[in-house]
Amino acid sequence: MPMTSPSYTVTMRVQVPSNPRATQHLVEAVADASALVTGIDMLQSEADSLTVLLTCDCVNTPHVNEVRDRIEMMVGTRVIEISDATLEAHKGGKISVSLKNPLRTRQDLARIYTPGVARVCKKIARDKDYARQYTIKKNTVAVVTDGTAVLGLGDIGPEAALPVMEGKAALFKEFGGVDAWPVCLDTKDTEEIISIVKAIAPVYGGINLEDISAPRCFEIEERLRDELDIPVFHDDQHGTAIVTLAALINALRVVDKKIEDVRIVLSGVGAAGSAIIRLLKLHGATDIIGCGRNGALGPFREEANPHRNWLAQNTNPRGVEGSLKDVLAGADVFIGVSSGNILTGDDIATMADDAIVFAMSNPTPEVDPADAGKHAAIVATGRSDYPNQINNVLVFPGLFKGMLKAGASQIDDEMLRAAAIAVANVVGDDQRNPNYIIPGVFDSRVADNVSAAVATYIKENQ
């Protein structure tokens, strides 16, 4: 059975018969349903019954129902109410606006609002650059989406995308000290999205594009980078690319291989895959084969999509044709940003000695990590319940922190590479091993390392 998860933590208010072993029987019933009990509290005790709060981790919603049914099979027992911890955590949203200065007296009001604020407005009107110094623009990012490629859910619309964008804003604040705000747009029109983002740009010091479907995301980002004087970053592309390169830098150090010598096979040539390939090439990779649904891309075939065609004409130097499984044989590195369970352990066994496997599809990796680990030297996933989690949260908070601090007006690929190296270098030579090639998401050193590297790059190059 799949593992339980804190994303499916529920608290059940349960009434059981009053007897000395009532709670023990309750815990046993939950365990028999393969759920993980994390707490049990007495709520009410009466002569003939007890009311308890039982908290447990489940696998999914059907599993919650199975646990409830198993409990209610006990004689004289009923589940009165079920509370979902994840839904409770989202009630009323996850972020809010707070004041940086007190607002308790008439003097405070006169400075923060009228009449004092007019002096600040006049100063900015004379020179717009003062907006970075005297407004939220100095440390604020817009998290922009149209809700067309949200997580693994696809096109679910702007309202349904909002919880994800709120979560992104929370991560910006917690890990980078950056204020971020969701901007969920009720349009899929490329020109309209570009126009709206340009119109709201004066408020923000940077734009983080999120969960916009390919290929529109490419044009939107390119156009906004050309037409705005603040950095524009599509995290689904470049955040994934940065953290992937960081993990690969350390993985190659562990197996004592050089990036210019290894053969890399990548599954999934959409937004993330394209960005990964470009950044790996910038860092020195010479032999990369990208695979889509129809197998390997290469110079032997023109692709209708211009972005895919660039990949086809600029990768696969040996002109290898065939399916993903065909071209994987003999490869040193596999990177998956596609879909789950497309490979087996036997496929990994065909790779070169000391193979590296990054199976990053979520929630189901391209290959079972345990099966891959039987043959590969290093295995990483996008999941938090396995070692070596490759997670974008290692990147975007520190990246924007550095760009905002330095007052960046643009972003380029060399800056992304500098961020990747900074993430990789958090893991010291004496710490690096097959189970630790990338720092954990709660490692407080990461954002500061990335921020410092980015700010230094900007100072030297912009």
Side-chain angles (χ1 to χ4, degrees):
M1 186 174 184
M3 297 176 63
T4 60
S5 167
S7 64
Y8 280 97
T9 298
V10 295
T11 298
M12 299 185 180
R13 187 155 60 98
V14 185
Q15 189 177 68
V16 298
S18 182
N19 70 66
R21 300 187 63 195
T23 55
Q24 178 183 338
H25 291 157
L26 183 59
V27 170
E28 290 172 350
V30 175
D32 287 344
S34 300
L36 176 64
V37 176
T38 59
I40 186 163
D41 299 286
M42 188 66 63
L43 195 63
Q44 187 174 354
S45 176
E46 297 180 350
D48 59 348
S49 68
L50 303 173
T51 303
V52 300
L53 290 178
L54 181 138
T55 303
C56 64
D57 289 352
C58 299
V59 175
N60 49 33
T61 300
H63 189 216
V64 174
N65 296 332
E66 181 185 342
V67 173
R68 179 201 60 205
D69 294 344
R70 188 66 65 94
I71 290 172
E72 292 190 329
M73 289 172 61
M74 296 169 56
V75 176
T77 301
R78 68 187 183 99
V79 176
I80 302 169
E81 183 182 27
I82 300 177
S83 174
D84 185 313
T86 297
L87 293 178
E88 290 295 322
H90 287 74
K91 277 189 174 179
K94 302 184 290 294
I95 58 175
S96 63
V97 175
S98 62
L99 297 183
K100 297 170 69 175
N101 297 298
L103 183 51
R104 292 188 291 266
T105 67
R106 289 182 180 275
Q107 289 82 0
D108 294 337
L109 183 61
R111 297 184 189 108
I112 289 174
Y113 198 53
T114 185
V117 71
R119 291 172 51 216
V120 183
C121 295
K122 290 178 180 178
K123 193 176 186 70
I124 296 171
R126 290 192 295 269
D127 184 348
K128 292 181 180 179
D129 287 345
Y130 279 120
R132 287 186 183 269
Q133 184 174 349
Y134 293 111
T135 74
I136 61 173
K137 186 181 183 76
K138 180 179 179 63
N139 193 51
T140 304
V141 171
V143 182
V144 179
T145 188
D146 63 357
T148 53
V150 181
L151 302 177
L153 305 174
D155 185 353
I156 59 175
E159 293 86 358
L162 182 54
V164 178
M165 304 310 127
E166 286 184 13
K168 194 83 173 189
L171 297 176
F172 265 112
K173 187 65 174 179
E174 181 64 24
F175 294 109
V178 173
D179 296 319
W181 198 254
V183 180
C184 301
L185 305 179
D186 191 12
T187 178
K188 301 176 187 178
D189 182 82
T190 296
E191 293 298 329
E192 194 169 8
I193 292 171
I194 292 170
S195 177
I196 291 170
V197 175
K198 288 173 62 178
I200 66 172
V203 178
Y204 301 99
I207 303 294
N208 183 95
L209 300 175
E210 193 79 20
D211 293 346
I212 299 174
S213 62
R216 295 176 309 119
C217 62
F218 298 117
E219 181 181 357
I220 290 169
E221 184 190 46
E222 289 171 4
R223 291 269 305 279
L224 287 173
R225 283 188 173 185
D226 288 341
E227 298 175 28
L228 289 177
D229 61 353
I230 56 176
V232 178
F233 179 78
H234 185 202
D235 187 49
D236 303 301
Q237 292 185 64
H238 309 299
T240 306
I242 292 169
V243 73
T244 300
L245 174 56
L248 185 58
I249 288 171
N250 280 335
L252 290 172
R253 288 169 176 167
V254 170
V255 299
D256 195 24
K257 295 182 181 181
K258 297 183 182 300
I259 194 167
E260 58 267 26
D261 299 330
V262 297
R263 291 170 53 188
I264 301 170
V265 172
L266 182 142
S267 175
V269 287
S274 299
I276 291 170
I277 289 173
R278 289 175 181 269
L279 195 58
L280 294 185
K281 283 177 65 67
L282 181 65
H283 195 66
T286 59
D287 193 335
I288 306 175
I289 301 176
C291 293
R293 292 186 180 89
N294 298 321
L297 276 64
F300 45 77
R301 185 175 63 244
E302 291 284 330
E303 301 288 334
N305 181 290
H307 295 280
R308 287 172 66 98
N309 194 55
W310 185 94
L311 295 177
Q313 306 311 315
N314 290 275
T315 59
N316 198 350
R318 293 175 291 113
V320 180
E321 300 186 51
S323 68
L324 171 62
K325 295 188 177 190
D326 293 335
V327 301
L328 189 63
D332 299 280
V333 179
F334 168 75
I335 298 171
V337 281
S338 50
S339 54
N341 291 328
I342 58 175
L343 295 174
T344 67
D346 290 340
D347 297 317
I348 303 303
T350 70
M351 296 178 66
D353 292 342
D354 292 327
I356 297 166
V357 173
F358 292 174
M360 298 190 291
S361 176
N362 245 330
T364 306
E366 283 81 1
V367 59
D368 181 87
D371 290 343
K374 296 174 183 176
H375 308 285
I378 297 174
V379 178
T381 72
R383 294 178 55 128
S384 60
D385 50 355
Y386 291 101
N388 297 326
Q389 183 190 17
I390 299 179
N391 192 320
N392 292 19
V393 75
L394 292 168
V395 174
F396 62 83
L399 180 74
F400 271 95
K401 180 180 180 180
M403 290 192 295
L404 292 170
K405 182 179 180 180
S409 60
Q410 59 185 355
I411 187 169
D412 58 41
D413 289 345
E414 284 290 354
M415 187 191 300
L416 305 184
R417 193 168 80 93
I421 294 170
V423 174
N425 287 344
V426 171
V427 181
D429 292 341
D430 58 334
Q431 300 173 309
R432 197 182 305 114
N433 64 68
N435 291 309
Y436 186 44
I437 59 168
I438 195 81
V441 296
F442 293 102
D443 190 325
S444 60
R445 298 172 297 171
V446 178
D448 289 340
N449 260 36
V450 174
S451 173
V454 168
T456 299
Y457 175 83
I458 293 168
K459 181 179 180 180
E460 295 176 352
N461 296 278
Q462 291 189 8

